[in-house]
Amino acid sequence: MSPRERARIVVLLAPATLFLGVFFLGPLVIIAVYSLLTPGLYGGVEWTFYHWNFGRIFGWADGIMEVFQPVYLRILLRSLSFGLLTVLVCLTLCYPVAFWIARLPQRWRMLFLFLITLPFFASLIVRLYAWLLILKPSGPLGMAFTALGMEPPELLYSPAAVILGMVYIFIPFMFLPLFAAVDNLDRALVEASADLGATPFQTFRKIIVPQTLPGIAGGSVIVFIPAVGNFIVPDILGGANGLMIGNLVEQQFLSSRNWPFGSALAMVIMGVVLVVLVTFTSRAAKAGAVR
Amino acid sequence: MRLSLGLFSLLFFAFLYAPLVVIIVYSFNSNPVNMLVWDGFTLDWYKGLFGIGERYLDPNQRVIYLESTPQLIAALKNSLTVAAVTTSFSTVVGTATALAVARSRFRGRGFCGGAMFLPMMMPDIVLGIGLLVFFSTIGMQLSLVTIIIGQCTFLTSYVFIVVQARLAGLDPRLEEASADLGASEWVTFRKVTLPQLAPGILGGGLLAFIISMDDLVITYFISGAGSQTLPIFVFSMVRRGVKPEISAIATLIILASVIVAATGLWLRARGERR
Amino acid sequence: MSDLLTITGARRAFVTPEGRAVPALDGIDLAVHDGEFVTLLGPSGCGKTTLLRAIAGLEAIDAGTIMLEGRDLTRLPAHRRPVNTVFQSYALFPHMTVARNVGYAMEVRGLPRAEREAQVADALAKVGLEGMATRKPSQLSGGQQQRVALARAIVAKPRLLLLDEPLSALDRNLRQAMQIELKDLQHRLGITFVFVTHDQDEALTMSDRIVVMRSGRVVQAGTPREIFRRPATRFVAEFIGETNLLSGTVEGGAAGPILRTSGGLSLRIPPGTPPGARATAVLRPTDFTLGAEGIAGTVTRAVYRGADLHLSVAPEGGGPTLGAIARDNALAPQRGARVTLGYDPAAIHIMEGEG
Ligand SMILES: Nc1ncnc2c1ncn2[C@@H]1O[C@H](COP(=O)(O)OP(=O)(O)OP(=O)(O)O)[C@@H](O)[C@H]1O
Ligand SMILES: [Mg+2]
């Protein structure tokens, strides 16, 4: 490498490295540190090592200063299951549509792809507000039930509402990678499978799913990650039963002012995300090596 | 089979668009008592937003908080300021990084590319509270500046990804041809690489702008008392309860973002066709 | 021989993006006998692939019927037809090993693993791929992939095997070797083959019967010799190998009828064509004997083709340039040389009119 080239690389990389090094890594390191510090009595921290922040979540605590409460673990598990459910619903909704769009003539494809991405650009909070309107007992859904002479069900402030809201806002995240995979699917393989006597369902299970697996996995990861740490959706649509770990974190920072505990919760979210990411990328790398 | 797929897709698109339609319809509903019961067409909620309606002056009517018009304008101004600065910064830095990663060979190149994905993949709440703790630790007052810094972390990553994708699609032989014809590196960059890259940079910038205008979670943690942005303003309104004026703001936001996004996608489609 | 496959009046039209209907199959009637090797031959776009896909059930037909052993297949979905296909692109499942690819037809029928494995090993042995069972398709050469596709299609012992230009991706030598192997395999298995190609040599070498197609119709069906020696139309004659086509009017003569072309060339033709009729004579370049008594002319071009020279000869009396073949040796005529082209009138095939 010539010195000139080296200088060019340094100049090009320096801004991002410096900026992200300070303002991205910095915050992550600080919450990692905070999660191991002692909470101060009136907010703030004391700079002494302390592992009960995590103990409170996972089941060890001294029982005096900090008490283990299974509620945190329960909320963590709930967040994971909400994330998983969101992924599953997104997948079930997007998969058939991806096939439908992939078979359309070029011009129509562009239009429908555009229509799928468009709501993504209409503000997040606006889209959630829409569901707040729809799910209200006096909203369109509730009125439909009343008109049919039925008692409107409790839609709002339920786990279902949270999952519905997350599905709605994350659909484009699932759709685009999935569509790329479905669109790349070699139709000859599907035909060959039918030709060899596989029923449509067998073809789906043995050929279509494995062949579109990269898209399924990619879409699932990028939906799961923001879903599991979400706090806006449960904040707006979820009641007490829809509380997620993101809401806990927010509470610790903005109302309880227990920053070390909040940081510990955030570290847990980050841990989950890292596990998912690492599993996914190593699997993808392995699959890539075989292909 | 084909038919049922089509039917399913129809429902899917209805699911995507019905909520937006609901907002827009309700924003014109004149029923002041229950905004979800249709009463008649009105523009009052839009007028109220800008403080020009009659209901705005009548304290007995269901009207949003008296101070809200100036607040709304201020929030919009804040959002635009933040978006303008973050878009410029992240576009320049993200593009520079993409150029380095895509066009030079150096050790740690793969690592660099992978690391640039992290800010985007990091859950918003983790980054948000991280920035909050960070700023308070170094004693920085929360303000528009902290919002700008905070947003730039992940926006840079978005721009990087868009520009890098475009760069990967460019034919490196064109640059070699230019060098072969005697152009210096700089001239080659300016006359060959940059024009081809322009749609990618434009697209990345536009994406950054839209995301910045819409960012809620991270901004929520690092905006100070006087530095509310538009999404946060709407969020706090929504938290206080459903009001017809929110539907009016929401409709305007939908309209604006659809126009911006459509222009962007149209520009991109045009750029690709060439 | 009994008919295994009978197609009657098969039609299929595709709609172009502009909304125009293009007939890909325009009323196909075809019978394939049991145990036969039938080749569909025709120029690009004539509907060969469409016909094959219609037989396999991968493409629906708008009208007509497809019967296999007296059973109507027309409305049967692909997976219920006792027909397997070797695809042009092979269509091997990339995420499965060679063994699983080959065993797929039995896997989806729910055969027990042990039985499957034995048959897979057997099929792989038949195509000479022992020891490749655990590889992925991407780890094979083009020729090996082709064999896997073949093994996969024959393992379930279909009544009918369809092959869509299976050899077109192979290089010349491998292709010739595979032509012979395929033919052998067909003999050993006793499966009926319908083979698609647009390579006339391939068709002539391999087939029991050739079906020549043009714009969605069958132009002629017959043995390779019939197709080559007695083409039904000018199109068939020109499509199968180099040929001389001479059109003219038949005149009676003492030694038999004579065909006089507009250029003034006269050609002795076999008896049977009434004088005064318009007719076209088909003469292959190999039909001419150089130096024997016949048509005199001048060599206008001599193209070296390895073992022999391809000559273009302008007849002295005028008329179209004729193609002939000479052995490439010291005596071979050069450009400008005068030659005579002898021929046997009995070998000439006469088509009515302009052919
Ligand atoms: N799915 C399709 N949509 C529209 N037109 C089609 C489709 N499949 C085939 N055709 C048209 O039908 C005609 C016959 O096509 P077919 O593929 O059967 O030709 P072919 O004889 O196999 O040609 P080749 O030798 O090039 O493979 C062509 O004009 C082709 O353009
Ligand atoms: Mg074909």
Side-chain angles (χ1 to χ4, degrees), chain B residues 128-174:
Chain B
I129 59 136
L131 285 161
L132 170 63
V133 178
F134 179 82
F135 288 133
S136 88
T137 307
I138 62 171
M140 215 165 146
Q141 281 288 324
L142 297 183
S143 64
L144 286 187
V145 178
T146 51
I147 298 179
I148 288 170
I149 292 176
Q151 288 193 358
C152 280
T153 54
F154 59 95
L155 292 179
T156 306
S157 158
Y158 278 99
V159 174
F160 168 83
I161 285 156
V162 173
V163 175
Q164 199 211 20
R166 177 91 194 171
L167 263 174
L170 292 189
D171 189 349
R173 275 171 303 184
L174 293 180

Side-chain angles (χ1 to χ4, degrees), chain A residues 2 28 30-31 51 54 90 114 157 160 171 173 176 180 270 274 289:
Chain A
S2 68
L28 296 187
I30 279 196
I31 54 166
H51 55 81
F54 288 101
C90 279
F114 174 71
Y157 307 128
I171 269 188
F173 293 12
L176 295 178
M270 210 160 91
L274 282 183

Side-chain angles (χ1 to χ4, degrees), chain A residues 1 8 16 23 27 30 93 100 114-115 118 121 123-124 126 129 138 168 225 232 235 246 250 254 259 266, chain B residues 6 8-9 15-17 23 36 97 105 121 125 129-130 133 136 149 185 214 216 220 239 243 247 257 265:
Chain A
M1 204 187 300
R8 196 183 59 193
F23 295 111
I30 279 196
L93 289 180
W100 184 71
F114 174 71
L115 283 181
L118 201 58
F121 293 112
S123 165
L124 168 83
V126 164
Y129 170 73
S138 56
Y168 187 67
I225 289 178
I232 297 282
D235 190 286
E250 193 230 4
L254 300 185
W259 287 16
Chain B
F8 186 91
S9 305
F15 171 68
L16 278 191
Y17 280 91
I23 293 188
L36 296 171
T97 316
R105 325 248 136 236
M121 295 307 285
I125 191 156
I129 59 136
V133 178
S136 88
I149 292 176
E185 259 177 53
D214 190 30
L216 181 55
Y220 176 74
R239 270 183 153 181
K243 295 250 160 51
S247 303
S257 38
L265 290 175

